[in-house]
Amino acid sequence: MATATIANSTQSTSPMIAMEHVEKWYGAYKALSDINLTVRTGEKIVLCGPSGSGKSTLIRCINHLEAYSKGRILVGGVQLGESAKTIDAVRREVGMVFQQFNLFPHLTILQNCTLSPMRTRGLSKIQAEATARRLLERVRILEQADKYPAQLSGGQQQRVAIARALCMEPKVMLFDEPTSALDPEMVKEVLDTMISLADDGMTMIVVTHEMGFARQVADRVIFMAEGSIVEEGPPAEFFTNPKHDRTKKFLGEILRGH
Amino acid sequence: MDYKFDFGPVWDGMPGLLMGCLGTLYLALAGMVLATIIGIGGVILRDSRFPPFRWLIKSFVELIRNTPFLVQCYFIFFALPLLGEQLGVLMFDFGLTDKAGNVLRLSPTATAVIALGVNGGAYAIEIIRGGVQAVSKGQIEAGLALGLHRAQVFRLIVLKPALRAIYPSLTSQFTLLTLTTSVASAIAAYELTSVAEDINGRTFRTFEIYFTVTLMYLAISTLMALLFNAISRRYFSYPVK
């Protein structure tokens, strides 16, 4: 039932993701404080900020890998965490790509892509494999379909991870520092894949320090520090005219390296 | 020295000894299957979110690993039937059964399989648990993010890499289990050592018999090693970094 609710609401004008006064506590440590964020369908958001600023925690709350402590999170109109069922419903619509790829080492590339569609969406093996091959083709890695993750380079693994998430036909994709664990020469192939996904209209939230990607793709860049959203704006404005000192300092530090 | 080597009685007893080998193999394989089931099931309960399950499994592991296997055999074979008698009477009194039979009297072979499975299972729980903990948290998160439930994540994503990681420890524990079947001769289970004792009791060709039986146990261990390798090649041979 919850799945149906998500599908219907995307056709309306309600936002894809709405976070309202969200707080996250680890014991006495406040990891997120009063987060308010609305993401429209098709919008691309880049989240940046120093390590420990809560950006990963924020996107991990959206698919409930972390339980939030206060406030509300709605994904496609479904309030996350009201019941286990809403969590399942949301996770089936929200794809996630991790820093460490997290491909399953004991399954081939193709099996990595078909596992969940067959188990959670009830697709037949033939249907699941057809979808998987189409998406592996799209990330230009179809020829590796029968290999195991350990036989692929980091960049190839991350592209498979993107294809694996896409096989669930998600309405939103979350990226948690997708290029941070990659050797420099492999960053581009992953970013190119993400750019093409963005061009196709996918709703995306990307935690990254790749400011070139942010400039090219993001509708909004959000800067976080110490668990709060400090500043946000369209990339042109964000990079050329940051308002807060914290943002200026951060941008000064990461752009110096480029 | 009056003792002269004479392998005649061993040769005469060969059909019995070979049947004994089969008995040993049966006890070992059935014990391993039970130990694996207890091991995997135990790990699930040991790390469940329901504290009484965790305490139960923890106590079980401590109890089994800190008492002798022979005593465990005797307990199941001699002590449990006495409890079973009382239970049988109780069940009859409550009208659950037609007659006051013993519900816990087991054959020597069944006793041996259960004792081996329970004993091996307790060790397997600790070994497999180590493997489960070695699987990175990211694997579990990736499974959950794909919409799989916790039980599916364990079964489809965690279990195989976990078993692969601890496979050498588990198989050495199971080799030990195979050899421990000889202890079941104490409750007269049908296996190689009890056959050997029987022939020895009749012929007193002690050296020849135990020399032969030693070689037979070596052969059984070798067979097990081949089996473990075949399983490893079939299920755990995917490449890792």
Side-chain angles (χ1 to χ4, degrees):
Chain A
M1 290 306 107
T3 315
T5 319
I6 288 180
N8 292 337
S9 62
T10 53
Q11 275 130 40
S12 69
T13 52
S14 69
M16 182 60 87
I17 295 168
M19 302 179 84
E20 298 168 3
H21 306 294
V22 171
E23 285 184 14
K24 168 71 186 173
W25 293 79
Y26 295 107
Y29 174 73
K30 199 178 196 177
L32 291 178
S33 113
D34 196 30
I35 298 293
N36 291 283
L37 174 65
T38 304
V39 182
R40 296 184 318 273
T41 302
E43 199 175 13
K44 290 99 183 92
I45 308 271
V46 163
L47 266 180
C48 61
S51 66
S53 60
K55 48 200 194 304
S56 285
T57 307
L58 189 155
I59 66 167
R60 289 160 58 85
C61 282
I62 294 172
N63 64 353
H64 212 271
L65 285 184
E66 305 277 356
Y68 55 103
S69 315
K70 268 189 183 166
R72 289 210 304 169
I73 299 179
L74 289 96
V75 180
V78 172
Q79 186 174 338
L80 182 60
E82 276 178 327
S83 67
K85 241 184 164 168
T86 62
I87 296 173
D88 290 341
V90 165
R91 281 180 181 161
R92 268 183 245 124
E93 307 294 334
V94 177
M96 190 169 204
V97 174
F98 299 86
Q99 183 176 355
Q100 298 296 338
F101 331 134
N102 294 339
L103 295 183
F104 307 132
H106 59 299
L107 300 178
T108 64
I109 297 312
L110 191 65
Q111 289 167 338
N112 262 276
C113 293
T114 57
L115 179 72
S116 186
M118 284 167 64
R119 300 283 172 170
T120 64
R121 289 191 174 275
L123 260 61
S124 71
K125 196 176 176 200
I126 294 169
Q127 290 172 307
E129 285 189 352
T131 308
R133 286 183 191 283
R134 180 167 54 80
L135 290 162
L136 287 171
E137 172 98 73
R138 179 177 174 175
V139 301
R140 289 172 292 109
I141 208 147
L142 182 58
E143 69 281 3
Q144 316 278 9
D146 296 320
K147 288 194 179 162
Y148 285 89
Q151 295 168 307
L152 270 57
S153 73
Q156 290 174 321
Q157 288 191 53
Q158 194 62 301
R159 283 187 280 140
V160 171
I162 293 171
R164 178 176 73 177
L166 292 177
C167 282
M168 291 295 286
E169 294 173 354
K171 301 203 161 59
V172 185
M173 286 282 283
L174 308 173
F175 292 85
D176 192 0
E177 304 208 26
T179 56
S180 301
L182 294 174
D183 292 335
E185 74 270 21
M186 292 170 187
V187 170
K188 189 176 177 298
E189 65 187 65
V190 171
L191 290 179
D192 285 346
T193 306
M194 291 166 63
I195 290 166
S196 103
L197 195 60
D199 290 343
D200 284 359
M202 177 63 78
T203 310
M204 295 164 71
I205 304 183
V206 184
V207 173
T208 186
H209 290 157
E210 294 292 333
M211 291 302 130
F213 174 82
R215 276 204 178 90
Q216 188 179 345
V217 168
D219 297 307
R220 265 191 294 163
V221 181
I222 295 176
F223 174 69
M224 287 183 74
E226 285 161 33
S228 299
I229 293 177
V230 174
E231 180 165 353
E232 61 169 278
E237 198 181 311
F238 181 86
F239 289 113
T240 51
N241 191 20
K243 291 176 193 69
H244 286 76
D245 289 343
R246 287 271 257 320
T247 319
K248 286 175 193 164
K249 187 165 167 276
F250 175 77
L251 286 175
E253 276 162 11
I254 65 163
L255 293 178
R256 195 179 308 144
H258 285 252
Chain B
M1 288 291 280
D2 292 334
Y3 197 91
K4 292 204 170 58
F5 291 138
D6 174 11
F7 278 86
V10 171
W11 192 247
D12 294 339
M14 198 46 90
L17 288 170
L18 290 175
M19 287 305 284
C21 285
L22 286 182
T24 292
L25 276 172
Y26 172 76
L27 292 185
L29 291 172
M32 276 179 223
V33 169
L34 186 58
T36 306
I37 293 168
I38 290 174
I40 293 171
V43 167
I44 294 170
L45 296 180
R46 176 68 176 76
D47 296 323
S48 83
R49 276 176 284 185
F50 188 52
F53 286 157
R54 297 205 298 267
W55 301 329
L56 185 78
I57 297 300
K58 234 169 128 175
S59 316
F60 165 75
V61 169
E62 290 305 315
L63 173 72
I64 298 298
R65 295 207 307 177
N66 290 290
T67 51
F69 178 69
L70 185 58
V71 172
Q72 293 163 12
C73 277
Y74 283 163
F75 189 86
I76 296 170
F77 194 63
F78 296 121
L80 274 191
L82 300 174
L83 185 66
E85 236 166 68
Q86 307 287 324
L87 268 174
V89 170
L90 217 62
M91 285 166 78
F92 177 67
D93 287 349
F94 279 97
L96 295 168
T97 48
D98 298 339
K99 56 181 171 60
N102 193 323
V103 291
L104 292 174
R105 172 159 292 145
L106 299 164
S107 72
T109 299
T111 302
V113 169
I114 291 171
L116 288 164
V118 165
N119 185 276
Y123 286 92
I125 287 172
E126 287 303 291
I127 293 172
I128 296 171
R129 191 158 171 259
V132 168
Q133 285 168 343
V135 172
S136 83
K137 213 168 155 259
Q139 291 285 310
I140 297 164
E141 290 181 346
L144 292 175
L146 283 166
L148 297 166
H149 297 137
R150 289 207 156 266
Q152 289 175 314
V153 169
F154 181 81
R155 188 161 50 86
L156 303 168
I157 296 170
V158 174
L159 193 55
K160 198 167 181 177
L163 289 178
R164 177 186 164 124
I166 50 81
Y167 195 67
S169 321
L170 193 64
T171 54
S172 90
Q173 187 66 44
F174 281 177
T175 304
L176 202 61
L177 183 152
T178 305
L179 302 180
T180 306
T181 54
S182 66
V183 177
S185 62
I187 53 168
Y190 189 74
E191 47 72 57
L192 184 54
T193 301
S194 61
V195 173
E197 281 169 4
D198 181 50
I199 298 174
N200 186 48
R202 284 188 280 107
T203 64
F204 301 104
R205 304 316 305 178
T206 308
F207 178 86
E208 294 85 334
I209 289 162
Y210 286 108
F211 179 78
T212 308
V213 163
T214 298
L215 293 182
M216 286 178 159
Y217 272 114
L218 265 178
I220 289 170
S221 294
T222 308
L223 205 64
M224 285 296 170
L226 291 173
L227 174 71
F228 296 149
N229 281 337
I231 291 173
S232 172
R233 270 198 309 278
R234 172 76 179 74
Y235 291 102
F236 302 120
S237 66
Y238 58 88
V240 287
K241 279 212 187 83

